[in-house]
Amino acid sequence: MDKVKYAVIGLGFFGEVHADVLSGMPDVDLVALCTRRPHRLKEVAERYGVSKTYTDYRELLKDPEVEAVSVVTHVNDHRDIAVDALKAGKHVFLEKPMAATVEDCDAIIKAADSSKGGLMVGHICRFDPRVSLAKAAVEEGRIGRIVSMHATRNLPKDLTAQPRVLDSISPLMGDGIHDTDIMLWLTKSKVKTVYAQNVRVRDFKYPDIGWAMYRFDNDAVGVIEVVWFLPENTPYTIDARMEIIGTEGAIYIDAGNAGITINDKEGLHKPDTIYWPAVHDMRIGALRTELSYFVNCVKKGVKPTVITPEESKMAVAVMCAAEESAATGKVVNM
Amino acid sequence: MDKVKYAVIGLGFFGEVHADVLSGMPDVDLVALCTRRPHRLKEVAERYGVSKTYTDYRELLKDPEVEAVSVVTHVNDHRDIAVDALKAGKHVFLEKPMAATVEDCDAIIKAADSSKGGLMVGHICRFDPRVSLAKAAVEEGRIGRIVSMHATRNLPKDLTAQPRVLDSISPLMGDGIHDTDIMLWLTKSKVKTVYAQNVRVRDFKYPDIGWAMYRFDNDAVGVIEVVWFLPENTPYTIDARMEIIGTEGAIYIDAGNAGITINDKEGLHKPDTIYWPAVHDMRIGALRTELSYFVNCVKKGVKPTVITPEESKMAVAVMCAAEESAATGKVVNM
Amino acid sequence: MDKVKYAVIGLGFFGEVHADVLSGMPDVDLVALCTRRPHRLKEVAERYGVSKTYTDYRELLKDPEVEAVSVVTHVNDHRDIAVDALKAGKHVFLEKPMAATVEDCDAIIKAADSSKGGLMVGHICRFDPRVSLAKAAVEEGRIGRIVSMHATRNLPKDLTAQPRVLDSISPLMGDGIHDTDIMLWLTKSKVKTVYAQNVRVRDFKYPDIGWAMYRFDNDAVGVIEVVWFLPENTPYTIDARMEIIGTEGAIYIDAGNAGITINDKEGLHKPDTIYWPAVHDMRIGALRTELSYFVNCVKKGVKPTVITPEESKMAVAVMCAAEESAATGKVVNM
Amino acid sequence: MDKVKYAVIGLGFFGEVHADVLSGMPDVDLVALCTRRPHRLKEVAERYGVSKTYTDYRELLKDPEVEAVSVVTHVNDHRDIAVDALKAGKHVFLEKPMAATVEDCDAIIKAADSSKGGLMVGHICRFDPRVSLAKAAVEEGRIGRIVSMHATRNLPKDLTAQPRVLDSISPLMGDGIHDTDIMLWLTKSKVKTVYAQNVRVRDFKYPDIGWAMYRFDNDAVGVIEVVWFLPENTPYTIDARMEIIGTEGAIYIDAGNAGITINDKEGLHKPDTIYWPAVHDMRIGALRTELSYFVNCVKKGVKPTVITPEESKMAVAVMCAAEESAATGKVVNM
């Protein structure tokens, strides 16, 4: 069996999780890493035994050995890196959101259309078994036509302050996009109107709280809640829930509660068992499933179909409309 | 990369799940299948594209290409097949319980000791991230010394009647062994005394309900509840919970609730998202993690350490003592 | 001890619950009943041993023995009955919503201002211990300033179809008003802007689903969800939850789950233990607490302060704005 | 309406709760209080405006005005006070457990048999709406014959150390008796055999943890868990759950979770909303319902039937057998 030669660009917290997962996959050879910070680059490369390191992603893209890359950088850098990687013929796994603007998404899609490399944006929730089982149930007609949805994706206030996440991205664009993508996926419909409200509590670039209400073409209402400001004593890392009500049934997802609560001297904890937990030193979970799917597409030479670039762009478009509504106080028609 | 040549012996419901998982692992080559039922053998072999098929496991064991086998048969057949497979030098993944008696466990361990093949019994819960995170928390001292434990592992009555599971194995031996193994693993202690009660409701070979109370060497109490008789309308496939109380903290596991509830015309469902769910046609979950671990041991040429045969035998010994107590009404000293 | 002489006007389902609760209160003498339906009047009067019966509420109001009345009629009749009762000098307990329009509320308040009778609108949730404990915690400053709220008050579709509740009142006016009142009470703030969406699924006078998003003067966002269209298999009578997030803490109420689940041949049930459950033939719960509070005010000769008519009118005003927004698709400024 | 003239004997924490509830009941006149501690007596008497105070309960019993008494003293004092009160012709509400031994229970029952006063032991859970609804469902045959039960009644370790509750009563006798009584009530059966284990962690007179397993005459198994040693960070005041499995259905009670969680700077709290919460300065809940029932029996001149002295004695007998089993390590036949 041939292994896919893989590189990771961007080595913040989540870039390293990518590296960790990839280094444990039997059909992947993690061959190169890239970050602008030399010290960090050395540290992560040593941890995972990666020999090739780059501080300039353009140099990495010149390496003919590299077949596929994970792009795990700030969203504002997505456009340039993704376009360049696709032009270099690499298969690109791009973290969400696809890009900061619809124009940037268009540029990336254009580059993908003329590249031999495939492109997939990391809407990880589509590989969360709870969400994919919900999708399967909807497709089987078990809940009929969807008429109302509500998604919560709330984080404790410390998590969004250290490092200063809220200087980097807004709650709606950062987390609301997950549930917006899920709603678009489940309904297979388009958003017709968007109304949103932001609430600013602390002194960051972006507000602490975002709410959005969508009306879909299929007549459903979808409501997005992102409170990046839960109390310090919140007993979970994330409060992520979704309620999907259809004409024939309903689905309830509680993604912040995967069945374990640890009560120790520091308080209550509900550790992640779904996204990227480690079991006996193996990184398992949705990220691994997602990367496995992407790697399989690379190996088979097919374009990913579970998530398409057009879908990823649509989620960005809706979030941009939500931010516009929150800024103007008006309803935005799409 | 070389793939491990793998065979599955026993193709009931769970044997096929093994085949399904193994056929999706990049470093495994599922080369052979075995069951006494020719029609079933053909059906499963075709589904997973396996060319070699056997109705006699002894013939399969003569195949030099086969490096590793999953034994997924009735527990009463475990001893003969496991001993023969180990004598044939195969690596053996044996489903739980290890065997029906302590004597059978001893025979298997003896065979393993003189085999070049490794042996691991499938205590899958040790690869459930909730349980392995609990183990990690205990090892880190986060809850101090364990003083009280309660495990529930209850099933709806239809599941234990069709097929006639209750004619095949008792609740304590069939499911109580999971939690007994976890308690032994977490406390790293031995069971000193066992008291148990069975309740018979329906007309099967084995009783419908088993309860056991253990006193451990470290002074903890552990209580096992296995009710294979929940009402038809039970909204989950399994009600599996564990409460672990220590001198410095506590851990609560709710393994029947992994965060999704589907309400359709047939009622409420909480589908499996942890043990062997399918996500976009990929079988993921604890069984895959467990088999990956086993395959990695085979590839590296090391004996599995996450579960050892001696530990598996100990769990059988405790369950045998529980059945003795339930039969006699007396406390059994171990 | 003197008992308060009490009458109930309106004997639908909930009017009878009033009669049942009142007949069990030691300091109340249920002396009269009124409904336009003679057969129903006779039936309920016999059940609770009430001697005086009326088919015309005006006749009842002429009875000098009657000191206090519960008005439990259709909301469209609230104005006339409440005004007449107050003019007749009775103490009036008026079920929610206060009235169908702000103008009607004003007329009732005007009548109350010049009456010797007190007036209280039945916002029962303020007497739900979960809600009143939340109010107390907010008043004590335990969660700081409120910044985000979400309330769910969803009902199974059968409950809103038989009898044809949805031909009588809309989800927002019928149930959304509960949570709107609670949000106004908790924040002690005013609603600045209202945006709402209705979804029509079945063929009733009113839509099946209502959603509203408020911006409060204190800068908080409040979101109201009323889905009167949950699936038949919904395992509870009501899904009523509220999330209140403040700068220093948070409160979560789950009013649909008061700690008992019964699984019988018909499915899962979570019976009411808070609002008006019967315990050994005694009707207890929030309705009784609320009526006890009202009766105590009558006995002491003081105006109720836990709920004031001005507050009840404000909740109606916000719901009317929500219906206007849903009809026009525009944001409504208050 | 005449009010019942009532006295409270014993003014610890719970005696004061009795006084608080009684002082708010419209058909009760709280006329006298008794405790051996003069300072405490004065404090509580002033708080509730009670004019008659006694440091010797015998003096109080001589007061002809007193019709009924709540006895809320240490269990070891129950026999003498209850016998004397019944001999004095008072109606006696005696807190649980009835007495420390079966002999003491017999003495109290003998006194009750020849007294004009009624006797009721305060098994408050029978007035918890969750439990009484469970009893009603069982009586209606909705879950068939009961075959397995498990009750948990666990408390945080601070609650059992300050004041030194564990020097006063054991977990099984103190709290296990609640669930034992409920099991006896629900099954209407007798306990045939008892096996129990205690675990000692801290240095109190009684062990910190008690477990008991019963076999009933109707063939059901019942398991009692009382861990008075939960971690400090436990987010509820009590973890009280019961699982009742029958041949036709099942009932699950979660009495530690009545639908509100407050997250403030000190952590998570799930305040009581069922037993004796205060709503707008009114004490409501199960204790009030229980005392109302008792007062109604006094007013009507009938013996209480919801709880009988013989039933209360039976619960004490089972707990004594459990303590014997825990001490000897043997199964006790009843």
Side-chain angles (χ1 to χ4, degrees), chain B residues 148 150 157 195 197-199 211 213 215 221 223 225 229 231 241 243 245 247 249-250 329 331, chain D residues 148 150 157 195 197-199 211 215 221 223 225 229-231 241 243 245 247 249-250 329 331:
Chain B
S148 184
H150 174 235
K157 55 175 81 161
Y195 177 75
Q197 287 276 348
N198 280 327
V199 182
W211 276 93
M213 192 183 295
R215 187 80 181 210
V221 167
V223 174
E225 169 187 1
F229 189 71
R241 287 171 282 139
E243 170 188 283
I245 296 169
T247 51
V331 182
Chain D
S148 184
H150 174 236
K157 56 175 80 159
Y195 177 74
Q197 288 275 350
N198 281 326
V199 182
W211 276 94
R215 187 78 179 215
V221 167
V223 174
E225 169 187 2
F229 189 71
L230 296 180
R241 287 172 281 137
E243 168 189 284
I245 296 169
T247 51
V331 182

Short mmCIF file of all heavy atoms in Angstrom, two decimals, chain B residues 148 150 157 195 197-199 211 213 215 221 223 225 229 231 241 243 245 247 249-250 329 331, chain D residues 148 150 157 195 197-199 211 215 221 223 225 229-231 241 243 245 247 249-250 329 331:
data_model
loop_
_atom_site.label_atom_id
_atom_site.label_comp_id
_atom_site.label_asym_id
_atom_site.label_seq_id
_atom_site.Cartn_x
_atom_site.Cartn_y
_atom_site.Cartn_z
N SER B 148 -16.45 3.34 46.11
CA SER B 148 -17.76 2.78 45.77
C SER B 148 -17.98 2.88 44.27
O SER B 148 -17.65 3.89 43.65
CB SER B 148 -18.87 3.55 46.51
OG SER B 148 -20.14 2.97 46.26
N HIS B 150 -20.85 1.63 41.02
CA HIS B 150 -22.07 0.97 40.57
C HIS B 150 -22.12 1.00 39.06
O HIS B 150 -21.92 2.04 38.44
CB HIS B 150 -23.32 1.67 41.12
CG HIS B 150 -24.59 1.11 40.57
ND1 HIS B 150 -25.55 1.87 39.94
CD2 HIS B 150 -25.04 -0.17 40.51
CE1 HIS B 150 -26.55 1.09 39.55
NE2 HIS B 150 -26.27 -0.14 39.86
N LYS B 157 -36.03 -6.00 26.51
CA LYS B 157 -36.35 -7.44 26.54
C LYS B 157 -36.37 -8.08 25.15
O LYS B 157 -36.05 -9.25 25.01
CB LYS B 157 -37.67 -7.68 27.25
CG LYS B 157 -38.85 -6.93 26.70
CD LYS B 157 -40.16 -7.33 27.40
CE LYS B 157 -40.36 -6.63 28.73
NZ LYS B 157 -41.77 -6.67 29.19
N TYR B 195 -21.46 -11.51 46.28
CA TYR B 195 -22.83 -11.90 46.58
C TYR B 195 -23.67 -11.54 45.37
O TYR B 195 -23.48 -10.47 44.79
CB TYR B 195 -23.34 -11.18 47.83
CG TYR B 195 -24.79 -11.49 48.15
CD1 TYR B 195 -25.15 -12.71 48.71
CD2 TYR B 195 -25.80 -10.56 47.89
CE1 TYR B 195 -26.48 -13.00 49.00
CE2 TYR B 195 -27.13 -10.85 48.18
CZ TYR B 195 -27.46 -12.08 48.73
OH TYR B 195 -28.77 -12.37 49.02
N GLN B 197 -27.63 -12.08 43.06
CA GLN B 197 -29.03 -12.51 42.96
C GLN B 197 -29.41 -12.53 41.49
O GLN B 197 -29.10 -11.59 40.76
CB GLN B 197 -29.95 -11.51 43.68
CG GLN B 197 -29.88 -11.55 45.19
CD GLN B 197 -30.77 -12.63 45.80
OE1 GLN B 197 -31.61 -13.22 45.12
NE2 GLN B 197 -30.56 -12.90 47.07
N ASN B 198 -30.09 -13.58 41.08
CA ASN B 198 -30.68 -13.63 39.75
C ASN B 198 -32.20 -13.60 39.88
O ASN B 198 -32.75 -14.10 40.86
CB ASN B 198 -30.29 -14.92 39.02
CG ASN B 198 -28.88 -14.85 38.43
OD1 ASN B 198 -28.44 -13.79 38.02
ND2 ASN B 198 -28.19 -15.99 38.40
N VAL B 199 -32.87 -13.03 38.88
CA VAL B 199 -34.33 -13.06 38.84
C VAL B 199 -34.76 -13.64 37.49
O VAL B 199 -34.30 -13.18 36.44
CB VAL B 199 -34.95 -11.65 39.01
CG1 VAL B 199 -36.48 -11.74 39.01
CG2 VAL B 199 -34.45 -10.99 40.29
N TRP B 211 -27.83 -9.41 39.52
CA TRP B 211 -27.24 -8.37 40.36
C TRP B 211 -26.07 -8.99 41.14
O TRP B 211 -26.19 -10.13 41.61
CB TRP B 211 -28.25 -7.88 41.40
CG TRP B 211 -29.21 -6.83 40.97
CD1 TRP B 211 -30.47 -7.03 40.47
CD2 TRP B 211 -29.03 -5.41 41.04
NE1 TRP B 211 -31.08 -5.83 40.22
CE2 TRP B 211 -30.22 -4.81 40.57
CE3 TRP B 211 -27.98 -4.58 41.46
CZ2 TRP B 211 -30.38 -3.42 40.50
CZ3 TRP B 211 -28.15 -3.20 41.39
CH2 TRP B 211 -29.33 -2.63 40.91
N MET B 213 -22.83 -7.97 44.13
CA MET B 213 -22.16 -6.99 44.98
C MET B 213 -20.80 -7.54 45.38
O MET B 213 -20.71 -8.64 45.93
CB MET B 213 -23.00 -6.71 46.23
CG MET B 213 -22.49 -5.50 47.02
SD MET B 213 -23.42 -5.18 48.57
CE MET B 213 -25.04 -4.78 47.96
N ARG B 215 -16.94 -7.00 47.27
CA ARG B 215 -16.06 -6.26 48.17
C ARG B 215 -14.65 -6.46 47.65
O ARG B 215 -14.22 -7.61 47.44
CB ARG B 215 -16.16 -6.81 49.60
CG ARG B 215 -15.41 -5.98 50.62
CD ARG B 215 -16.22 -4.77 50.99
NE ARG B 215 -15.57 -3.89 51.94
CZ ARG B 215 -16.24 -3.14 52.81
NH1 ARG B 215 -17.57 -3.18 52.85
NH2 ARG B 215 -15.61 -2.32 53.62
N VAL B 221 -16.56 -1.10 47.54
CA VAL B 221 -17.69 -1.92 47.15
C VAL B 221 -17.96 -1.68 45.67
O VAL B 221 -17.84 -0.54 45.19
CB VAL B 221 -18.95 -1.56 47.99
CG1 VAL B 221 -20.20 -2.17 47.38
CG2 VAL B 221 -18.79 -2.05 49.42
N VAL B 223 -20.93 -2.72 42.66
CA VAL B 223 -22.22 -3.35 42.43
C VAL B 223 -22.52 -3.40 40.93
O VAL B 223 -22.36 -2.40 40.23
CB VAL B 223 -23.34 -2.61 43.19
CG1 VAL B 223 -24.71 -3.19 42.83
CG2 VAL B 223 -23.10 -2.72 44.70
N GLU B 225 -25.26 -4.38 37.94
CA GLU B 225 -26.69 -4.55 37.63
C GLU B 225 -26.83 -4.89 36.15
O GLU B 225 -26.36 -4.14 35.29
CB GLU B 225 -27.42 -3.23 37.93
CG GLU B 225 -28.84 -3.16 37.43
CD GLU B 225 -29.45 -1.77 37.60
OE1 GLU B 225 -28.75 -0.86 38.10
OE2 GLU B 225 -30.62 -1.60 37.22
N PHE B 229 -34.13 -7.04 30.57
CA PHE B 229 -35.58 -7.14 30.57
C PHE B 229 -36.23 -5.76 30.67
O PHE B 229 -37.24 -5.58 31.31
CB PHE B 229 -36.00 -8.04 31.77
CG PHE B 229 -37.45 -8.40 31.78
CD1 PHE B 229 -37.96 -9.28 30.84
CD2 PHE B 229 -38.32 -7.84 32.71
CE1 PHE B 229 -39.32 -9.60 30.84
CE2 PHE B 229 -39.67 -8.17 32.72
CZ PHE B 229 -40.17 -9.05 31.77
N PRO B 231 -38.45 -2.54 29.35
CA PRO B 231 -39.67 -2.52 28.54
C PRO B 231 -39.39 -2.29 27.06
O PRO B 231 -38.36 -1.71 26.69
CB PRO B 231 -40.45 -1.33 29.12
CG PRO B 231 -39.87 -1.05 30.44
CD PRO B 231 -38.44 -1.50 30.39
N ARG B 241 -24.46 2.59 32.37
CA ARG B 241 -23.95 3.71 33.17
C ARG B 241 -22.98 3.19 34.22
O ARG B 241 -23.09 2.05 34.66
CB ARG B 241 -25.11 4.41 33.88
CG ARG B 241 -25.98 5.24 32.96
CD ARG B 241 -27.21 5.74 33.66
NE ARG B 241 -28.21 4.69 33.75
CZ ARG B 241 -28.97 4.44 34.81
NH1 ARG B 241 -28.81 5.16 35.91
NH2 ARG B 241 -29.84 3.47 34.80
N GLU B 243 -20.88 4.62 37.86
CA GLU B 243 -20.61 5.66 38.85
C GLU B 243 -19.40 5.19 39.64
O GLU B 243 -19.38 4.06 40.15
CB GLU B 243 -21.85 5.72 39.74
CG GLU B 243 -21.77 6.53 40.98
CD GLU B 243 -23.04 6.30 41.82
OE1 GLU B 243 -24.09 6.85 41.49
OE2 GLU B 243 -22.95 5.51 42.79
N ILE B 245 -16.90 6.40 42.64
CA ILE B 245 -16.72 7.42 43.68
C ILE B 245 -15.42 7.16 44.41
O ILE B 245 -15.16 6.04 44.87
CB ILE B 245 -17.92 7.41 44.64
CG1 ILE B 245 -19.17 7.81 43.84
CG2 ILE B 245 -17.69 8.37 45.81
CD1 ILE B 245 -20.45 7.61 44.56
N THR B 247 -12.09 8.93 47.00
CA THR B 247 -11.91 9.79 48.18
C THR B 247 -11.73 11.25 47.80
O THR B 247 -11.96 12.13 48.63
CB THR B 247 -10.68 9.34 49.00
OG1 THR B 247 -9.56 9.23 48.10
CG2 THR B 247 -10.91 7.99 49.66
N GLY B 249 -12.79 12.55 44.47
CA GLY B 249 -13.60 12.97 43.34
C GLY B 249 -14.51 11.83 42.90
O GLY B 249 -14.63 10.81 43.58
N ALA B 250 -15.14 12.01 41.76
CA ALA B 250 -16.05 10.99 41.27
C ALA B 250 -16.13 11.08 39.76
O ALA B 250 -15.84 12.12 39.17
CB ALA B 250 -17.44 11.18 41.87
N GLY B 329 -27.34 -18.76 47.23
CA GLY B 329 -27.83 -17.77 48.19
C GLY B 329 -26.79 -17.38 49.22
O GLY B 329 -27.07 -16.66 50.17
N VAL B 331 -22.74 -16.01 50.38
CA VAL B 331 -21.62 -15.16 50.00
C VAL B 331 -20.45 -16.05 49.60
O VAL B 331 -20.16 -17.03 50.29
CB VAL B 331 -21.22 -14.26 51.19
CG1 VAL B 331 -20.08 -13.32 50.79
CG2 VAL B 331 -22.43 -13.48 51.71
N SER D 148 -37.28 -5.58 39.55
CA SER D 148 -35.95 -5.08 39.94
C SER D 148 -36.05 -3.60 40.30
O SER D 148 -36.73 -2.83 39.61
CB SER D 148 -34.95 -5.28 38.79
OG SER D 148 -33.65 -4.88 39.17
N HIS D 150 -33.61 -0.19 41.96
CA HIS D 150 -32.36 0.35 42.50
C HIS D 150 -32.60 1.78 42.95
O HIS D 150 -33.17 2.57 42.21
CB HIS D 150 -31.25 0.34 41.44
CG HIS D 150 -30.00 1.03 41.92
ND1 HIS D 150 -29.41 2.07 41.25
CD2 HIS D 150 -29.26 0.84 43.03
CE1 HIS D 150 -28.35 2.48 41.93
NE2 HIS D 150 -28.24 1.76 43.00
N LYS D 157 -19.94 15.05 50.93
CA LYS D 157 -19.29 14.71 52.19
C LYS D 157 -19.36 15.81 53.24
O LYS D 157 -19.40 15.53 54.43
CB LYS D 157 -17.83 14.30 51.95
CG LYS D 157 -16.99 15.32 51.23
CD LYS D 157 -15.53 14.88 51.15
CE LYS D 157 -15.26 13.87 50.05
NZ LYS D 157 -13.83 13.84 49.65
N TYR D 195 -28.77 -8.51 52.37
CA TYR D 195 -27.31 -8.55 52.39
C TYR D 195 -26.82 -7.11 52.29
O TYR D 195 -27.38 -6.33 51.51
CB TYR D 195 -26.77 -9.38 51.23
CG TYR D 195 -25.26 -9.40 51.15
CD1 TYR D 195 -24.51 -10.15 52.04
CD2 TYR D 195 -24.59 -8.65 50.18
CE1 TYR D 195 -23.12 -10.16 51.97
CE2 TYR D 195 -23.21 -8.66 50.11
CZ TYR D 195 -22.47 -9.41 51.00
OH TYR D 195 -21.10 -9.42 50.93
N GLN D 197 -23.35 -4.12 52.82
CA GLN D 197 -21.94 -3.79 52.99
C GLN D 197 -21.83 -2.33 53.40
O GLN D 197 -22.50 -1.48 52.82
CB GLN D 197 -21.18 -3.96 51.65
CG GLN D 197 -20.97 -5.39 51.21
CD GLN D 197 -19.74 -6.03 51.83
OE1 GLN D 197 -18.91 -5.35 52.45
NE2 GLN D 197 -19.62 -7.33 51.66
N ASN D 198 -21.00 -2.06 54.37
CA ASN D 198 -20.67 -0.68 54.73
C ASN D 198 -19.22 -0.40 54.38
O ASN D 198 -18.39 -1.32 54.40
CB ASN D 198 -20.86 -0.46 56.24
CG ASN D 198 -22.32 -0.26 56.62
OD1 ASN D 198 -23.08 0.32 55.86
ND2 ASN D 198 -22.70 -0.73 57.81
N VAL D 199 -18.90 0.82 54.06
CA VAL D 199 -17.51 1.22 53.83
C VAL D 199 -17.21 2.43 54.71
O VAL D 199 -17.96 3.41 54.71
CB VAL D 199 -17.25 1.61 52.35
CG1 VAL D 199 -15.78 1.97 52.14
CG2 VAL D 199 -17.66 0.49 51.41
N TRP D 211 -24.49 -0.05 51.43
CA TRP D 211 -25.16 -0.70 50.29
C TRP D 211 -25.97 -1.88 50.84
O TRP D 211 -25.48 -2.61 51.71
CB TRP D 211 -24.12 -1.26 49.32
CG TRP D 211 -23.56 -0.33 48.31
CD1 TRP D 211 -22.41 0.39 48.44
CD2 TRP D 211 -24.08 -0.05 47.00
NE1 TRP D 211 -22.18 1.11 47.29
CE2 TRP D 211 -23.19 0.85 46.39
CE3 TRP D 211 -25.20 -0.48 46.30
CZ2 TRP D 211 -23.40 1.34 45.10
CZ3 TRP D 211 -25.40 0.00 45.01
CH2 TRP D 211 -24.51 0.91 44.43
N ARG D 215 -34.01 -9.35 48.70
CA ARG D 215 -34.88 -10.20 47.89
C ARG D 215 -36.26 -10.13 48.52
O ARG D 215 -36.41 -10.35 49.73
CB ARG D 215 -34.38 -11.65 47.91
CG ARG D 215 -35.12 -12.57 46.96
CD ARG D 215 -34.64 -12.34 45.55
NE ARG D 215 -35.26 -13.17 44.55
CZ ARG D 215 -34.61 -13.63 43.47
NH1 ARG D 215 -33.34 -13.33 43.27
NH2 ARG D 215 -35.25 -14.35 42.58
N VAL D 221 -35.80 -8.09 43.19
CA VAL D 221 -34.58 -7.66 43.87
C VAL D 221 -34.66 -6.15 44.06
O VAL D 221 -35.14 -5.43 43.18
CB VAL D 221 -33.33 -8.02 43.04
CG1 VAL D 221 -32.09 -7.30 43.57
CG2 VAL D 221 -33.09 -9.53 43.08
N VAL D 223 -32.14 -2.88 45.47
CA VAL D 223 -30.78 -2.52 45.89
C VAL D 223 -30.77 -1.06 46.36
O VAL D 223 -31.30 -0.18 45.68
CB VAL D 223 -29.77 -2.74 44.76
CG1 VAL D 223 -28.39 -2.22 45.15
CG2 VAL D 223 -29.70 -4.23 44.42
N GLU D 225 -28.48 2.15 47.74
CA GLU D 225 -27.14 2.74 47.73
C GLU D 225 -27.19 4.06 48.48
O GLU D 225 -27.99 4.94 48.13
CB GLU D 225 -26.73 3.00 46.27
CG GLU D 225 -25.49 3.85 46.12
CD GLU D 225 -25.21 4.21 44.65
OE1 GLU D 225 -26.01 3.81 43.78
OE2 GLU D 225 -24.20 4.89 44.40
N PHE D 229 -20.72 10.50 50.94
CA PHE D 229 -19.32 10.84 50.77
C PHE D 229 -19.05 11.29 49.33
O PHE D 229 -18.03 10.99 48.74
CB PHE D 229 -18.47 9.59 51.11
CG PHE D 229 -17.02 9.85 51.19
CD1 PHE D 229 -16.48 10.60 52.24
CD2 PHE D 229 -16.15 9.38 50.22
CE1 PHE D 229 -15.13 10.85 52.30
CE2 PHE D 229 -14.79 9.62 50.29
CZ PHE D 229 -14.28 10.35 51.33
N LEU D 230 -19.95 12.01 48.73
CA LEU D 230 -19.69 12.53 47.38
C LEU D 230 -18.68 13.67 47.46
O LEU D 230 -18.54 14.32 48.50
CB LEU D 230 -21.00 13.03 46.75
CG LEU D 230 -22.07 11.97 46.49
CD1 LEU D 230 -23.30 12.62 45.86
CD2 LEU D 230 -21.56 10.87 45.58
N PRO D 231 -18.00 13.95 46.36
CA PRO D 231 -16.98 15.00 46.38
C PRO D 231 -17.57 16.38 46.68
O PRO D 231 -18.75 16.63 46.46
CB PRO D 231 -16.41 14.99 44.95
CG PRO D 231 -16.81 13.69 44.37
CD PRO D 231 -18.06 13.26 45.06
N ARG D 241 -32.02 9.00 43.19
CA ARG D 241 -32.64 8.43 41.99
C ARG D 241 -33.23 7.07 42.32
O ARG D 241 -32.76 6.38 43.21
CB ARG D 241 -31.58 8.25 40.90
CG ARG D 241 -31.15 9.56 40.28
CD ARG D 241 -29.97 9.37 39.34
NE ARG D 241 -28.72 9.27 40.09
CZ ARG D 241 -27.75 8.39 39.86
NH1 ARG D 241 -27.89 7.51 38.88
NH2 ARG D 241 -26.67 8.36 40.61
N GLU D 243 -34.93 3.53 40.21
CA GLU D 243 -35.26 2.83 38.97
C GLU D 243 -36.15 1.67 39.38
O GLU D 243 -35.78 0.89 40.26
CB GLU D 243 -33.94 2.35 38.38
CG GLU D 243 -33.98 1.38 37.26
CD GLU D 243 -32.57 0.87 36.97
OE1 GLU D 243 -31.78 1.60 36.36
OE2 GLU D 243 -32.24 -0.27 37.41
N ILE D 245 -38.28 -1.42 37.76
CA ILE D 245 -38.51 -2.16 36.51
C ILE D 245 -39.55 -3.23 36.75
O ILE D 245 -39.44 -4.03 37.68
CB ILE D 245 -37.19 -2.74 35.99
CG1 ILE D 245 -36.26 -1.57 35.64
CG2 ILE D 245 -37.42 -3.63 34.76
CD1 ILE D 245 -34.85 -1.97 35.38
N THR D 247 -42.68 -5.99 34.85
CA THR D 247 -42.85 -6.91 33.72
C THR D 247 -43.45 -6.20 32.51
O THR D 247 -43.30 -6.68 31.38
CB THR D 247 -43.76 -8.09 34.10
OG1 THR D 247 -44.96 -7.56 34.68
CG2 THR D 247 -43.08 -9.00 35.11
N GLY D 249 -43.37 -2.49 32.19
CA GLY D 249 -42.93 -1.11 32.03
C GLY D 249 -41.86 -0.78 33.04
O GLY D 249 -41.35 -1.68 33.73
N ALA D 250 -41.51 0.48 33.14
CA ALA D 250 -40.47 0.89 34.08
C ALA D 250 -40.70 2.34 34.47
O ALA D 250 -41.34 3.10 33.73
CB ALA D 250 -39.08 0.74 33.45
N GLY D 329 -21.18 -9.88 57.71
CA GLY D 329 -20.79 -10.39 56.39
C GLY D 329 -21.68 -11.51 55.90
O GLY D 329 -21.40 -12.11 54.87
N VAL D 331 -25.66 -13.23 55.00
CA VAL D 331 -27.01 -12.93 54.54
C VAL D 331 -27.96 -13.10 55.72
O VAL D 331 -27.86 -14.07 56.47
CB VAL D 331 -27.40 -13.88 53.39
CG1 VAL D 331 -28.80 -13.55 52.87
CG2 VAL D 331 -26.37 -13.83 52.27
#
